[in-house]
Amino acid sequence: MKPIFNPKSILFKIQKKCIPVIFMGYCLACITLLSACDNFVETDQPSSQLSTPVVFESPTTATAAMVAIYAQLRSSTLLTGSPLGLSNQMGHYADELTFYGDSENSTSGFYTNSVLASNEAVATLWTSSYRVVYNTNAMLEGIAASSSLSLDKANQLTGEALFVRALVHFYLVNLYGEIPYITTTDYRQNRVASRLPVAKVYELIIADLNKAYSLLPENEESGERVRPNQYTAQALLARVYLFDEKWDEASNAASALLNNTATYALQDDLNTVFLNTSSSTIWQFSPFFYGSATEEGNLFIFTAGPPPFTALSDALLNSFEPMDQRKISWTTAVSDGNMTWYYASKYKDNSSVSFSSEYSVVFRLEEQYLIRAEARTRAGDLIGAKEDLNIIRNRAGLPNTTAISQDELLNAVLKERRVELFTEHGHRFFDLKRYGKLDSALSNKIGWNTTDALFPIPETELLLNPNLSPQNLGY
């Protein structure tokens, strides 16, 4: 069969792999779904070889195809809790984590801020992300061509695919700056795709999210919050509006979610925030198989010193105020008798158990309070901002903020985000970047340069597609 893509560039290269990732062959001719590898939802295992039209003739196989994309996000892309994901790499790239692993490990380059255009790990973030984008576009095209799916099922799956496409592009634009926004599986377009201005990328992300919101159901059918619903789209919209400096829109989007007190509520006990039954969770990934620990638990937890791979940085530990219950509940000390290190213990399990009590959280309610606090501050509503900030502080056992002026409140929000959202998908780096504080916060790091605010476009992609030029400054 003649391939419909140039097999060299990731923007239109889809590799065959025996992992729970769909559409990984020629012309979308077949799909491999391994039910033993995933349990996001309970679906019957389809035949291992299915032509694309057949996939979208059945709600079971169409749903399984979308679920496989979530498995891809969880296990092998930006949002994975493994060392390849942003929680690890950006935690080291900023100032949350101290690296103790082998200097040959890819994370070492992030820790020393010495990534290059030829760096494999940086290229992997790019390639794996566009692989997900390709798969969401294949979903959208397959759903549109199907005559068998019910309108409700077609709308739900379309909304989910649009949400994921927007989510991945959001991270890409914040890592690489100007990027292509890929909306097709047509290799003739993708192989010459040009980078778009950041403002245009945000415009397209917002359009995808607004359409996703109109199509997604209000409530997630499984009850486990492992499939996006309208409020998941609303949560990402609030974040995107904040990053795009649309303060009123960010505040309103967060309010729409925060006002749904029947579904979402803060957990009084900080030790329950990352349980899979937490009422503060908006969206989460179920584990590789029921009974397995999260990738984050496997990554961060260690039981003897010195740390085998990573530990929380002194800078992060020193940023907690006295009596902050998050430091007590979400960090754990390990000593060898002479020295003491701390690891992130938001997730408590790092070994197989009879039942998985923790899922990997992607969006949670606490961020929405902090989004609204910042948006209100920047819009001049200091009273409302303090109310939101104090909700998060009081839950952590801290008194109300003493910040008074707008600048003081903005710094208070930034500090609160640091101790609330650490080791969660790179929030710290993106926040410093938005606040214009990257250089002041990270200038003491080995290898830090002002141009490190953006990753380099992978060298291999630049060679294959001249329209991706010019390279980002500093590389």
Side-chain angles (χ1 to χ4, degrees), residues 182-454:
I182 303 301
T183 60
T184 179
T185 61
D186 187 344
Y187 84 98
R188 291 163 296 186
Q189 296 182 44
N190 293 343
R191 70 179 176 182
V192 295
S194 297
R195 297 166 69 182
L196 300 176
V198 171
K200 180 61 177 179
V201 174
Y202 274 124
E203 179 184 323
L204 293 169
I205 290 171
I206 291 169
D208 270 354
L209 288 175
N210 280 323
K211 186 173 181 181
Y213 176 85
S214 71
L215 296 172
L216 288 168
E218 181 177 2
N219 298 306
E220 194 264 344
E221 59 188 11
S222 77
E224 290 196 296
R225 308 187 183 192
V226 295
R227 302 278 294 281
N229 61 13
Q230 287 185 343
Y231 293 104
T232 317
Q234 210 55 286
L236 180 54
L237 263 173
R239 186 192 295 177
V240 172
Y241 283 136
L242 186 74
F243 279 52
D244 200 26
E245 300 185 357
K246 292 180 169 60
W247 314 129
D248 290 340
E249 291 89 338
S251 180
N252 291 337
S255 293
L257 200 151
L258 294 170
N259 290 338
N260 184 7
T261 55
T263 304
Y264 305 103
L266 296 180
Q267 297 284 125
D268 292 330
D269 182 354
L270 290 168
N271 288 308
T272 66
V273 170
F274 293 88
L275 294 180
N276 58 12
T277 55
S278 172
S279 59
S280 68
T281 295
I282 300 167
W283 187 44
Q284 59 190 349
F285 296 139
S286 63
F288 189 69
F289 61 86
Y290 284 123
S292 67
T294 62
E295 297 273 18
E296 292 85 352
N298 287 324
L299 171 64
F300 292 123
I301 296 173
F302 59 93
T303 57
F309 185 74
T310 188
L312 296 176
S313 69
D314 290 341
L316 173 62
L317 293 167
N318 293 334
S319 68
F320 288 95
E321 296 176 40
M323 303 307 296
D324 191 329
Q325 296 302 300
R326 288 168 295 199
K327 184 175 183 180
I328 296 171
S329 297
W330 293 349
T331 75
T332 298
V334 175
S335 176
D336 66 355
N338 295 311
M339 297 183 64
T340 300
W341 303 268
Y342 288 79
Y343 64 81
S345 54
K346 290 179 172 179
Y347 299 92
K348 313 299 183 185
D349 295 332
N350 68 333
S351 59
S352 296
V353 292
S354 59
F355 174 78
S356 297
S357 62
E358 298 172 336
Y359 291 175
S360 296
V361 176
V362 185
F363 287 97
R364 58 188 180 96
L365 199 64
E366 292 84 347
E367 183 197 358
Q368 299 300 307
Y369 278 107
L370 294 171
I371 286 173
R372 193 169 68 177
E374 182 180 340
R376 284 175 165 178
T377 300
R378 294 186 184 276
D381 180 9
L382 304 189
I383 294 176
K386 287 183 182 180
E387 290 175 353
D388 285 333
L389 188 60
N390 288 334
I391 286 172
I392 298 301
R393 288 180 58 82
N394 296 164
R395 196 276 302 263
L398 298 176
N400 289 346
T401 181
T402 58
I404 298 175
S405 69
Q406 185 180 52
D407 284 345
E408 288 174 341
L409 266 173
L410 286 174
N411 287 328
V413 171
L414 178 61
K415 181 177 180 181
E416 209 63 37
R417 289 179 66 90
R418 181 180 195 180
V419 293
E420 178 69 37
L421 302 173
F422 67 94
T423 64
E424 294 183 49
H425 312 304
H427 280 291
R428 172 65 173 167
F429 176 81
F430 300 134
D431 290 343
L432 289 172
K433 186 175 176 180
R434 292 189 301 109
Y435 272 70
K437 293 181 179 289
L438 276 173
D439 288 341
S440 60
L442 305 181
S443 59
N444 291 330
K445 285 198 68 189
I446 300 172
W448 176 259
N449 294 296
T450 298
T451 53
D452 292 343
L454 292 177

